[in-house]
Amino acid sequence: MTHGSAGDVPAAARPSGVIVTGPPRAGAKHVEALREYGVATVHEAMGRTGCLGPGLRPVQQDVRIAGTAVTALCWPGDNLMIHAAVEQCAEGDILVVATTSPSTDGMFGELFATALQHRGVRGLVIDAGVRDTAELRAMGFPVWSAAVCAQGTVKATAGSVNVPVVVGGQCIRPGDVILADDDGVMCVPRQSAATAVEAAEARAAKEEATRAAFAGGQLGLDRYGLRETLARLGVRYQPYAEYAGDVRGGAVS
């Protein structure tokens, strides 16, 4: 997983003590529509883009959320700007936290979740550590994190809120759509939300047709035209007896 280092994060997003208020957000109807499709389907529909990588894992199971990003850029081991970001969160948001260099410290826990839940925030995505995971599950506050760690933090260094941040090699801007489920996390740029809904709808319809075909016995080799691909790559079918004879004769290594 690629962390947002000072060299990776856009210059405007580096900690400079700025809290941006009132950024535009993706439309609620598009956010809700995308939630119905989930991370894998939307990721494929958008040309296999937007995935934040395998390093962010849920602390719970069987939960899918979608919301608009409020971003916080913190220094490692310092959660001051998460406190500042809570004030900027509104109903339907997802808080996205990045650090200026890799950190596994437990920067977020049950108390933060309580404050965010009161504001109608749908969950947290953090490229660092969390703690109080049992309490987070019990209260039904979804979290995706890069680590789980009891190590505490300080509140001493200025960062920024609602600026572009980099998580998993993806630039996330305030107001972008964040999708998260058991498969991971992805980001849909705010300006692409309507297009993403159309693409996801088409992808889901295609998957449903394929599901029905497979349930009826059709093979992927035939549905996707892969027999021609195998032939083009020089893959051949060979009866077992012939293959075994080639092995005994040393023709196959």
Side-chain angles (χ1 to χ4, degrees):
M1 181 174 191
T2 303
H3 292 263
S5 68
D8 297 324
V9 178
R14 295 174 190 167
S16 57
V18 61
I19 298 173
V20 179
T21 63
R25 289 166 165 84
K29 68 176 183 179
H30 297 138
V31 174
E32 293 308 309
L34 289 171
R35 186 185 68 83
E36 295 300 314
Y37 297 111
V39 171
T41 296
V42 178
H43 165 68
E44 292 283 356
M46 294 298 289
R48 295 187 293 279
T49 62
C51 180
L52 272 55
L56 295 174
R57 301 306 306 153
V59 303
Q60 66 287 312
Q61 293 295 312
D62 302 324
V63 173
R64 177 189 294 169
I65 64 170
T68 44
V70 169
T71 64
L73 185 61
C74 301
W75 287 86
D78 192 313
N79 67 3
L80 173 63
M81 300 315 293
I82 298 180
H83 284 276
V86 170
E87 184 182 27
Q88 302 307 313
C89 289
E91 185 171 355
D93 286 335
I94 293 175
L95 179 58
V96 179
V97 178
T99 53
T100 58
S101 60
S103 176
T104 58
D105 294 339
M107 299 176 65
F108 183 99
E110 176 255 340
L111 295 179
F112 267 138
T114 299
L116 290 176
Q117 204 168 54
H118 172 75
R119 303 180 78 86
V121 174
R122 294 178 176 172
L124 170 79
V125 173
I126 180 169
D127 195 11
V130 297
R131 58 187 186 178
D132 302 335
T133 55
E135 289 82 358
L136 292 172
R137 287 189 292 272
M139 66 190 295
F141 188 83
V143 169
W144 285 255
S145 70
V148 173
C149 182
Q151 175 66 45
T153 57
V154 299
K155 302 166 182 60
T157 312
S160 293
V161 174
N162 278 336
V163 297
V165 297
V166 174
V167 178
Q170 300 292 325
C171 184
I172 302 168
R173 293 175 171 82
D176 285 350
V177 183
I178 300 298
L179 303 176
D181 58 24
D182 287 347
D183 292 333
V185 184
M186 74 164 295
C187 175
V188 175
R190 175 177 61 85
Q191 298 88 339
S192 301
T195 300
V197 172
E198 295 177 0
E201 184 179 62
R203 174 78 187 186
K206 180 181 178 181
E207 289 177 348
E208 180 56 36
T210 300
R211 186 177 300 109
F214 286 174
Q218 186 178 23
L219 296 174
L221 286 173
D222 298 314
R223 185 166 185 83
Y224 300 137
L226 297 178
R227 295 190 190 278
E228 293 81 358
T229 301
L230 291 175
R232 177 171 52 81
L233 294 174
V235 178
R236 61 192 177 91
Y237 288 84
Q238 185 178 29
Y240 175 77
E242 181 182 320
Y243 175 78
D246 287 346
V247 172
R248 286 194 297 270
V252 177
S253 58

